[in-house]
Amino acid sequence: MFRPLTRKNKEISRAECIEILKEEKRGILSVNTEGGYPYSMPMNHYYNEEDECIYFHSGRKGHRLDSLVFSDKVCFCVCEEGYCQEGEWAKNVRSVIVFGKAEIIDDINAVEDIARKLSYKFTDDKDYIESEIKKFSRATLLIRLVPLHICGKRVKEE
């Protein structure tokens, strides 16, 4: 069902893909809409090593959730900023694409646990994190992306 990478010499390992998913703070989540158009949005994410799933926080209503009720098939893309070799202008960039099924989770304990883990990707301010969780966790759902296919590549942008 999932196509292999065309340019095998650009492919990165699964371990590199996981590293990128763990380290990068945001990516683009794409869902399928009832109208047949894809709907893509930038999302903060948390890669959970325990179950090898990717988590997103979400409000309790909106276009994204309506689309996930319509179709649980999603695609998530993460791209790192990249780097330049000394003396070169072209960036070397790795990216990861994840195809999978999305599940909506409405469990306050899971919401608070993942929100806490996700927040620590952005700040170490425990008081701030706990305050935000206390204020917003009851109005929050989780989206769990269960990966069915993960692939990544490295390109030099020249």
Side-chain angles (χ1 to χ4, degrees), residues 23-91:
E23 296 300 320
E24 291 301 317
K25 294 179 177 167
R26 63 193 55 83
I28 305 294
L29 179 66
S30 298
V31 298
N32 297 297
T33 67
E34 277 187 84
Y37 285 95
Y39 176 53
S40 301
M41 71 239 55
M43 296 285 290
N44 300 327
H45 68 280
Y46 177 74
Y47 179 83
N48 188 1
E49 289 183 89
E50 293 173 22
D51 62 6
E52 299 181 330
C53 292
I54 302 165
Y55 289 85
F56 311 91
H57 60 84
S58 176
R60 293 185 164 271
K61 60 183 177 177
H63 194 177
R64 175 179 44 236
L65 288 181
D66 292 346
S67 297
L68 290 174
V69 169
F70 169 73
S71 172
D72 64 352
K73 294 178 181 175
V74 298
C75 181
F76 183 57
C77 179
V78 176
C79 184
E80 65 182 5
E81 187 174 325
Y83 65 92
C84 292
Q85 295 283 0
E86 189 172 329
E88 294 184 354
W89 61 266
K91 278 196 172 182

Side-chain angles (χ1 to χ4, degrees), residues 74-142:
V74 298
C75 181
F76 183 57
C77 179
V78 176
C79 184
E80 65 182 5
E81 187 174 325
Y83 65 92
C84 292
Q85 295 283 0
E86 189 172 329
E88 294 184 354
W89 61 266
K91 278 196 172 182
N92 294 275
V93 179
R94 296 179 304 169
S95 61
V96 177
I97 296 179
V98 180
F99 293 94
K101 301 272 184 151
E103 301 171 349
I104 299 169
I105 299 171
D106 187 8
D107 174 275
I108 191 68
N109 294 322
V111 167
E112 290 181 355
D113 178 54
I114 296 297
R116 190 171 287 110
K117 291 173 179 174
L118 175 60
S119 295
Y120 276 108
K121 285 178 76 171
F122 294 90
T123 181
D124 289 330
D125 186 340
K126 183 178 180 179
D127 292 338
Y128 171 78
I129 291 170
E130 294 305 321
S131 170
E132 293 294 295
I133 289 172
K134 186 176 180 179
K135 281 191 277 188
F136 298 110
S137 63
R138 297 233 177 257
T140 303
L141 296 174
L142 287 178

